[in-house]
Amino acid sequence: MTHAAIDRAITTPHQSAVEVIHKSTFSAADCRHNQQKIAQLMAQLNHIVLDKPQVVKLALSGILAGGHLLLQDLPGMGKTTLAQGLAQLLGLSFSRVQFTNDMLPADILGMSIYDQKKQQFEFRAGPIFTQLLLADEINRSSPKTQSALLEAMEERQVTQDGQTYPLPQPFFVIATQNPLQQAGVYPLPESQLDRFLLCLSLGYPSPTAERELLKGQDRRELLKNLDAVLDTEAVLLAQQGVKHVYVADVVLDYLQRLVAKTRASSEYHGLSPRGVLSLQRAAQAYAYVSGHMEVTPEDIQAVFAAVTDHRLGQRFVPAHVTGGQATQTIAQRILAEVAVIS
């Protein structure tokens, strides 16, 4: 396949939806209709991922904010199920890559292979050329392989052998990682962590939800029965809607006081400007998913820990390591110390 053919194969299936969004004008009616569909989507996903409505809501908010998600927890907690459910209900193309310690960057990005008949190199696109990529157990791969995702996550493109290939729109990475206490893992560097808009943990299910899992149908079978609620055009429209969510000055004042608090301690490094923008965008998306078009302090509080803890150096420690006691995170301490109204 030539470079031109690769470009056509990657961009053509999604180009029409992108053009529709650019040519159309954003309307309140479109927004309300989309928000109703999003409520339906969350209701269906909550039937698959039991007892985790807040995690589901935050994960969907991260996607509609145009960001990437990092799901960290013990194996078998439902991280992959959540990612697959999101892809199916959003109507996006999906690829899953199982990261291992012997994986190379080309296994994800693709490579140029010499065609003897044509006497030229042809680029074979890797699994990253999709709309939603599940990077399963990303911290089991080496730092070299982890860094292969940086350009794709930040610039939505892949550069191989001096040639740049755009990724489909929209493009998201949902990565899962195991606790650092487990064997065979490589900690994600700060530059990689900063690429993830939200970092979430599912945790153990409640006894009621666990009983339903034991007596109910296999989650993988339920995933097969899911029909898409949105499509590429609707997801892009929702992303436009998120940008139109209003943030009042008084709410920005509260946001900036929280940010200033992160920078006033020698215990951890404060939020960067990119982190601040991520916090605002996540709060706008959370408000949009909640069905309103104005950010409130409660929206900022809802996303604050998921946006900031991994940027402030907070490392995930499973509950069984701490004797079942949930320790207060850096973000939770900051929220408790900063008043909503100064």
Side-chain angles (χ1 to χ4, degrees):
M1 188 179 291
T2 64
H3 291 316
I6 285 289
D7 290 342
R8 287 195 299 272
I10 292 169
T11 59
T12 301
H14 315 287
Q15 191 63 37
S16 58
V18 176
E19 288 175 349
V20 167
I21 298 300
H22 287 326
K23 292 178 181 178
S24 64
T25 57
F26 180 82
S27 70
D30 289 334
C31 173
R32 286 192 296 271
H33 180 65
N34 233 20
Q35 287 176 319
Q36 291 171 358
K37 284 189 171 183
I38 288 168
Q40 297 171 16
L41 187 155
M42 285 194 293
Q44 289 195 41
L45 193 52
N46 282 323
H47 284 299
I48 304 295
V49 183
L50 299 176
D51 193 37
K52 304 296 176 184
Q54 183 64 6
V55 175
V56 167
K57 189 174 183 179
L58 285 169
L60 184 58
S61 299
I63 293 292
L64 298 185
H68 309 290
L69 303 179
L70 179 62
L71 305 177
Q72 55 183 9
D73 220 318
L74 296 168
M77 289 293 194
K79 303 185 295 294
T80 302
T81 301
L82 173 59
Q84 290 176 327
L86 280 170
Q88 286 186 231
L89 290 169
L90 290 168
L92 302 177
S93 60
F94 175 78
S95 290
R96 176 183 179 272
V97 177
Q98 180 65 51
F99 279 63
T100 57
N101 58 6
D102 60 349
M103 178 175 284
L104 299 174
D107 296 328
I108 306 167
L109 306 179
M111 66 183 73
S112 295
I113 298 177
Y114 187 73
D115 189 322
Q116 290 186 342
K117 292 182 179 179
K118 297 180 180 179
Q119 294 188 349
Q120 64 181 17
F121 283 94
E122 296 182 352
F123 180 69
R124 302 289 176 87
I128 200 170
F129 287 91
T130 186
Q131 291 177 309
L132 196 154
L133 174 71
L134 172 58
D136 216 356
E137 296 186 309
I138 187 174
N139 60 339
R140 289 199 178 276
S141 65
S142 66
K144 181 177 181 179
T145 302
Q146 292 174 11
S147 64
L149 291 173
L150 291 177
E151 180 186 12
M153 294 173 70
E154 187 67 20
E155 301 174 34
R156 267 65 174 182
Q157 65 183 29
V158 167
T159 302
Q160 284 288 77
D161 300 324
Q163 180 73 26
T164 298
Y165 306 97
L167 292 167
Q169 293 188 47
F171 172 74
F172 309 105
V173 173
I174 298 181
T176 71
Q177 73 166 345
N178 295 334
L180 297 180
Q181 294 79 10
Q182 294 195 337
V185 299
Y186 298 85
L188 292 177
E190 283 74 9
S191 59
Q192 185 87 9
L193 287 171
D194 195 47
R195 296 304 197 280
F196 291 101
L197 178 67
L198 301 176
C199 182
L200 304 172
S201 176
L202 286 161
Y204 292 115
S206 67
T208 302
E210 194 163 47
R211 178 61 63 91
E212 189 172 343
L213 285 172
L214 292 169
K215 299 179 69 174
Q217 191 175 355
D218 187 276
R219 300 295 106 181
R220 287 169 292 187
E221 293 299 320
L222 291 176
L223 281 172
K224 295 177 182 178
N225 300 325
L226 288 180
D227 293 322
V229 176
L230 303 180
D231 55 20
T232 296
E233 181 180 338
V235 173
L236 291 170
L237 185 65
Q239 289 182 325
Q240 289 294 104
V242 167
K243 294 177 182 178
H244 284 77
V245 174
Y246 177 68
V247 187
D249 286 342
V250 66
V251 177
L252 285 177
D253 290 341
Y254 176 52
L255 184 151
Q256 287 191 290
R257 286 198 300 275
L258 289 170
V259 171
K261 187 68 174 179
T262 70
R263 298 169 178 170
S265 174
S266 59
E267 179 186 352
Y268 42 81
H269 48 79
L271 279 186
S272 67
R274 177 162 57 187
V276 177
L277 291 171
S278 296
L279 178 57
Q280 176 180 313
R281 193 165 77 250
Q284 288 176 294
Y286 190 87
Y288 186 88
V289 169
S290 300
H292 49 268
M293 293 296 293
E294 181 174 354
V295 174
T296 66
E298 289 75 17
D299 296 321
I300 293 176
Q301 292 166 355
V303 303
F304 187 67
V307 173
T308 62
D309 269 334
H310 63 291
R311 290 181 165 91
L312 299 177
Q314 183 81 36
R315 295 292 183 176
F316 172 69
V317 179
H320 73 276
V321 175
T322 59
Q325 299 297 318
T327 57
Q328 190 178 42
T329 69
I330 297 172
Q332 289 169 339
R333 296 207 313 265
I334 292 173
L335 284 173
E337 293 169 1
V338 176
V340 175
I341 300 175
S342 60

